[in-house]
């Protein structure tokens, strides 16, 4: 049975595409047949973050409009087995997505025995975002510890409880909170909302905390999801997230300022992540 | 000695609320309000309030402004909160006695 997962947030630029790329890669590394679909029609990015932008020929909208087959449009990742990408169209707008067409594509992926179908939602709460969440079984709500992001996430949680197929059949979309760009140092100083506050406000289970990390920017510069560089802090955080997602219990990390060793305290070596 | 320790603690304690704690307070208010609006508060709330008031005012003097009916939606559960402040100046009205109590005991 395939699982459809939407990565959504309401607010833009909080880390949805980064999370889609890393969670999809992480699931594939565990051996699950996984596809990541870019729903950000007109502003496609997932292909860049995953480093396959030069291999895009046909896209999601071509498939919906029956101008290309799914087989022609889906890109197989070169580094990780079991990992596939369906890029968004760069030239159309989000109205090119309709329930029927999106539903057909999702059904085709189910029929092709994919374990996970990751839907990278565009920002906002308009058509594109609604299409990305409509068929979801579960949702990863990406939130930054910051007022407008938390408010938008709450709004999106309301939509997940109202505008999905699950709800129409009397079920609920299972929701997970992913706090990204977290800077424990700033939380300790009282400059940034802490994870406990965000959890209390949104009232959904915490899937994980991804620290603010230079490695993420570097990874997208290279077109290699950060999770493929296990020495990076954000990679470890995403590996934990993926493990938890498939049911493994792992204690939360990256919640607090890393303890500095004797030497770094003496010489003021910068901590592993900004803060 | 004790005073000294306290002073030391006070020195380290943050007196001003941090901007993060202000953010949390503001969010708590706005998020609760928006949940009520966007999640479709049932339209019977106003009627419920009115009818409750009619029932309660048979027994107690109540002020319309001091009754609040609130439905809070959290993800997963709803809380219906009813808050009635009774006027404190008047003694409770005598309850209408059940008829049976007035009639003479049957023998
Ligand atoms: N943990 C992190 N640490 C540092 N930078 C990050 C982190 N996560 C994401 N970023 C950066 O934030 C920016 C936005 O990330 P991303 O594109 O994933 O967000 P998005 O939610 O998909 O945006 P949009 O709403 O435009 O689709 C990117 O430059 C990315 O490199
Ligand atoms: Mg994006």
């Amino acid at each position: 049975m395939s699982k459809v997962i939407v990565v959504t947030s309401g607010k833009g630029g909080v880390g949805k595409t980064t999370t889609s790329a890393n969670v999809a890669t992480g699931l594939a590394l565990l051996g699950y047949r996984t596809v990541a679909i870019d729903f950000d029609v007109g502003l496609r990015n997932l292909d860049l973050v995953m480093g396959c932008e030069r291999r895009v020929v046909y896209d999601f909208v071509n498939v919906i409009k029956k101008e290309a087959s799914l087989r022609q449009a889906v890109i197989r990742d070169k580094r990780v087995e079991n990992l596939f990408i369906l890029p968004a169209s760069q030239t159309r707008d989000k109205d090119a997505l309709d329930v029927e067409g999106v539903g057909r594509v999702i059904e085709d992926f189910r029929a092709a025995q994919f374990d996970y179908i990751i839907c990278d939602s565009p920002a906002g709460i308009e058509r594109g975002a609604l299409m990305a969440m409509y068929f979801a079984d579960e949702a990863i709500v990406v939130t930054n510890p910051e007022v407008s992001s938390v408010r938008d996430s709450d709004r999106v949680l309301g939509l997940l409880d109202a505008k999905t197929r699950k709800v129409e059949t009397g079920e609920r979309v299972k929701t997970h909170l992913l706090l990204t760009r977290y800077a424990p140092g700033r939380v300790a100083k009282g400059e940034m909302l802490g994870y406990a506050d965000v959890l209390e406000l949104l009232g959904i289970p915490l899937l994980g905390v991804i620290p603010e990390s230079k490695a993420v920017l570097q990874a997208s510069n290279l077109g290699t999801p950060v999770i493929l560089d296990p020495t990076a802090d954000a990679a470890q955080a995403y590996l934990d997230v993926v493990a938890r997602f498939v049911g493994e219990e792992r204690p939360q990390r990256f919640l607090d300022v890393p303890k500095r060793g004797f030497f770094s305290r003496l010489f003021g070596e910068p901590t592993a992540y900004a803060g | 000695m004790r005073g000294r320790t306290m002073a030391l603690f006070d020195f380290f304690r943050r007196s001003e609320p941090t901007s993060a704690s202000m953010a949390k307070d503001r969010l708590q208010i706005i998020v609760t309000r928006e949940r009520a609006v966007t999640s479709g508060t049932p339209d019977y709330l106003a009627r419920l309030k009115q009818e409750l008031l009619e029932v309660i005012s048979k027994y107690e003097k109540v002020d319309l402004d001091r009754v609040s009916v609130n439905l809070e939606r959290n993800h997963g559960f709803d809380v219906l909160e009813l808050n009635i402040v009774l006027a404190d100046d008047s003694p409770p009205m005598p309850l209408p006695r059940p008829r049976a109590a007035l009639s003479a005991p049957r023998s």
Side-chain angles (χ1 to χ4, degrees):
Chain A
M1 256 296 273
S2 324
K3 247 188 202 162
V4 181
I5 299 155
V6 62
V7 179
T8 183
S9 69
K11 189 170 160 57
V14 295
K16 292 179 292 297
T17 299
T18 304
T19 298
S20 299
N22 283 290
V23 168
T25 306
L27 287 168
L29 285 173
L30 293 180
Y32 295 102
R33 206 167 141 80
T34 306
V35 61
I37 309 177
D38 191 346
F39 275 76
D40 207 342
V41 175
L43 289 170
R44 90 169 161 228
N45 272 326
L46 188 64
D47 55 332
L48 269 180
V49 174
M50 297 185 78
C52 63
E53 71 278 3
R54 296 205 331 235
R55 296 166 60 208
V56 176
V57 182
Y58 294 108
D59 59 57
F60 192 14
V61 175
N62 290 139
V63 178
I64 285 180
K65 304 273 182 215
K66 298 190 175 152
E67 295 156 0
S69 70
L70 202 53
R71 198 175 280 278
Q72 287 175 301
V74 168
I75 300 168
R76 179 192 285 270
D77 191 272
K78 283 210 166 133
R79 292 159 301 219
V80 182
E81 221 184 314
N82 300 312
L83 181 60
F84 299 81
I85 299 116
L86 179 56
S89 164
Q90 188 66 324
T91 49
R92 322 269 183 119
D93 60 51
K94 292 180 178 66
D95 291 333
L97 301 176
D98 61 275
V99 177
E100 211 207 309
V102 174
R104 224 182 325 112
V105 171
I106 301 267
E107 273 321 305
D108 287 350
F109 280 126
R110 284 188 194 274
Q113 316 249 299
F114 275 85
D115 296 304
Y116 289 101
I117 302 164
I118 311 287
C119 304
D120 179 18
S121 175
I125 51 172
E126 271 80 57
R127 190 176 191 86
L130 294 178
M131 285 298 119
M133 72 170 64
Y134 185 74
F135 293 96
D137 299 308
E138 303 194 19
I140 297 177
V141 178
V142 179
T143 307
N144 289 169
E146 173 269 325
V147 281
S148 45
S149 174
V150 174
R151 179 200 215 172
D152 289 0
S153 293
D154 192 72
R155 188 73 202 283
V156 159
L157 285 168
L159 292 174
L160 286 165
D161 272 348
K163 308 241 165 178
T164 54
R165 198 170 61 165
K166 278 256 170 208
V167 175
E168 286 167 12
T169 59
E171 292 169 273
R172 303 189 83 203
V173 174
K174 188 173 174 195
T175 52
H176 310 265
L177 176 65
L178 186 69
L179 256 184
T180 58
R181 313 202 66 164
Y182 196 72
R186 303 191 59 193
V187 174
K189 286 188 206 141
E191 295 171 2
M192 186 183 262
L193 282 165
Y195 66 94
D197 289 342
V198 180
L199 269 179
E200 188 191 327
L201 284 158
L202 295 178
I204 59 169
L206 180 66
L207 180 62
V209 172
I210 312 295
E212 170 76 24
S213 163
K214 282 185 198 146
V216 171
L217 187 60
Q218 242 163 37
S220 52
N221 286 344
L222 301 174
T224 311
V226 73
I227 198 166
L228 292 174
D229 168 18
T231 59
D233 49 358
Q236 291 174 29
Y238 274 117
L239 285 167
D240 280 358
V241 160
V242 171
R244 282 187 207 110
F245 199 84
V246 299
E248 199 181 309
E249 273 192 35
R250 291 212 180 169
Q252 295 288 348
R253 294 195 276 166
F254 308 104
L255 304 178
D256 301 309
V257 186
K259 290 202 178 59
R260 286 154 150 236
F262 175 70
F263 282 101
S264 59
R265 249 184 290 152
L266 261 187
F267 302 112
E269 171 198 293
T271 50
Y273 34 91
Chain B
M1 188 59 213
R2 187 153 194 269
R4 254 170 187 267
T5 334
M6 288 303 289
L8 208 70
F9 270 118
D10 282 345
F11 179 75
F12 286 113
R13 196 186 295 148
R14 237 180 236 113
S15 47
E16 301 268 295
T18 62
S19 67
S21 73
M22 285 166 66
K24 186 191 175 190
D25 293 344
R26 290 172 59 217
L27 276 167
Q28 230 144 16
I29 294 165
I30 193 74
V31 154
T32 309
R33 196 160 68 206
E34 287 176 348
R35 273 177 204 165
V37 176
T38 54
S39 68
T41 309
D43 51 8
Y44 62 69
L45 278 194
R47 234 173 338 122
L48 177 66
K49 182 173 168 177
Q50 190 57 43
E51 287 176 22
L52 278 171
L53 212 74
E54 281 166 23
V55 174
I56 294 161
S57 59
K58 283 190 196 161
Y59 303 96
E60 286 281 351
K61 208 169 123 191
V62 281
D63 185 350
L64 183 62
D65 295 335
R66 303 179 78 180
V67 176
S68 70
V69 183
N70 207 356
L71 184 71
E72 201 175 302
R73 297 233 148 126
N74 288 308
H75 303 285
F77 59 93
D78 299 350
V79 178
L80 180 66
E81 180 190 277
L82 178 63
N83 210 337
I84 302 168
V85 181
L86 300 175
D88 46 8
D89 48 299
S90 63
M93 276 184 224
L95 295 179
R97 265 195 217 178
R99 272 193 164 273
L102 289 176
S103 57
R106 264 178 226 148
S107 50

